[in-house]
Amino acid sequence: WDLALDTSSPTYADWRTRFFSVNAPLAQPSDDADEDGAENLLEYALGTDRRKAASVPLIASSGTGLRYTRRRGSNLDYVVEVSTNLNFTVWHYNGDTSALVWTAESSVTPIDTDYESVVVTPGPALAGELKAFYRVRVSMQ
């Protein structure tokens, strides 16, 4: 016998089928099955284990920017947003109404067939700013 195991999950629906039973509660993208504060969609997008509360998405500082892991070849949109103050009332991103370049992907490194590591650096709109606060917003296409 020759057995090939397909561990890929190119869509959230595939991932949900793989990790949740048909009638499982808390299986929707906005649910938090393991109650760790990360919604299921975020767990899928950033490659953490939705069954383990200790497995939380890692977004780390990298110089003056950030580094995070994202799913390759999926139906997801990843938008890095930035704020320059602790009020967090205004978040900017590339493509917002300001038409400014807030961030740049300085490197994208494959981790395996499913994930890649992304390093994001400040863009020209952040020149001269003393502080920048980042977050990554994930949505399905």
Side-chain angles (χ1 to χ4, degrees), residues 79-127:
V79 176
V80 176
E81 298 179 330
V82 62
S83 179
T84 57
N85 61 54
L86 286 174
N87 291 332
F88 301 119
T89 56
V90 178
W91 288 92
H92 297 286
Y93 55 93
N94 296 345
D96 66 9
T97 58
S98 71
L100 298 174
V101 177
W102 295 94
T103 61
E105 286 185 2
S106 63
S107 74
V108 177
T109 307
I111 296 171
D112 57 27
T113 58
D114 294 322
Y115 295 97
E116 59 194 8
S117 176
V118 181
V119 175
V120 176
T121 56
L126 292 173

Side-chain angles (χ1 to χ4, degrees), residues 3 23 30 36 44 57 66 79-80 92 99 101 111 140-141:
L3 177 65
N23 296 319
S30 60
D36 63 358
Y44 165 70
L66 74 140
V79 176
V80 176
H92 297 286
V101 177
I111 296 171
M140 285 190 277
Q141 297 175 354

